[in-house]
Amino acid sequence: MNILGSISRSLMIPEETLGYLIRTAPFRYKVFKVEKRNGKGKRTIAQPAREVKDLQYWVMEKILHNFPIHSAATAYRAGRSITTNAAKHAPNHFLLKMDFKDFFNSIRSDDLDAYLRKLSSEEWGDKDIEYLKRILFWDKERRGRLVMSIGAPSSPMLSNILLYDFDRRVQAFCTPRRVRYSRYADDLAFSTNKPNVLREVEVEVVRICKRMRHPKLTVNAEKTVHASARVARRVTGLVLTNEGSVSLGRDRKRLIRAQIHRFLMGGLNLEEKGKLRGMLAFVNSAEPSFIEKLRDHYGSAEIDKIFKMSD
């Protein structure tokens, strides 16, 4: 496959210019930090320059979409969401949640190299693989060690592709034990109605990570959680009810109602208005029935004002 020629023809960029752009692509990132959702520290975002994004979108459309993604992977996929991810576990009483350390940055260009060579050594030549690595990965420390970045449009899809073997191994362990498994990016969720089985799953997931060379993933043991129906169970931010459904949770609903009231009283600043609009968009995808309740209470016109307002 001649990636340089194909991109050149598609994007109408001379090959000499394109070659220079690809060679320097890992350095063309804008780096900034944002607060983590839990308020504990900041997350580093590395956003590729527009010209690099164009290359990444091309690779996503022409190449990456041809590679398999495991059914357990629910993030960044059409027709799937945090709601479908959480709903998978709603009928079960016992829940295990696990998390990876430094997920995106732990996936390296060498992992893609190994994946492509294992897939087909004849189709992917050394030059094409090198081009893909430089297009899709970021030189975080400017020392030639290319890693996946949070902020690149290709990272979500590529992470799902490169974790196919991990997902396959985990699913193979879970299925005969009647354990449901899903992965939303770096959030792993397991559920069952059989007591004590999830302890075995936890040990096996750690063992799989240690045995795998590509990618080299590490479980963040501090975030491992075991829960049962006797306590509040959450998956990707949503509450699993004892009735077998998925809910936003009482606290979040109370906050949303309070913020809508403040909006109607003219008490929100621009930043707060933007956050409220984002919350309602999340509600619309996670628990749309609650949006209908808000419309009944406050009026559809008022709720529509929030959806349509600009920052």
Side-chain angles (χ1 to χ4, degrees), residues 67 111-121 124 129 132:
F67 297 146
D111 299 325
L112 176 61
D113 192 310
Y115 176 87
L116 292 175
R117 293 185 189 281
K118 182 180 179 180
L119 192 68
S120 174
S121 57
W124 298 99
I129 291 176
L132 287 177

Side-chain angles (χ1 to χ4, degrees), residues 144-163:
R145 184 175 181 271
L146 305 182
V147 300
M148 187 175 289
S149 79
I150 302 174
S154 54
S155 291
M157 180 185 288
L158 184 57
S159 67
N160 277 342
I161 291 168
L162 295 181
L163 263 72

Side-chain angles (χ1 to χ4, degrees), residues 149-188:
S149 79
I150 302 174
S154 54
S155 291
M157 180 185 288
L158 184 57
S159 67
N160 277 342
I161 291 168
L162 295 181
L163 263 72
Y164 181 87
D165 192 42
F166 171 84
D167 291 331
R168 180 188 60 79
R169 295 186 193 191
V170 173
Q171 186 69 69
F173 185 83
C174 290
T175 298
R177 292 164 178 81
R178 297 184 180 179
V179 172
R180 294 187 177 188
Y181 163 57
S182 69
R183 180 179 58 80
Y184 194 91
D186 58 344
D187 292 326
L188 315 180

Side-chain angles (χ1 to χ4, degrees), residues 44 73 75 77 104 112 120 128 157 251 258 265 276 279 298:
T44 300
R77 302 182 68 182
F104 274 8
L112 176 61
S120 174
D128 285 335
M157 180 185 288
D251 292 342
M265 295 295 103
L276 176 57
M279 280 194 289
Y298 297 102

Side-chain angles (χ1 to χ4, degrees), residues 33 52 56 99 111 114 130 132 198 222 228 250 293:
K33 295 183 181 291
V52 178
Q56 292 177 348
D99 191 278
D111 299 325
E130 186 62 28
L132 287 177
L198 295 182
E222 294 180 357
S228 70
R250 292 179 182 177
K293 291 181 180 179

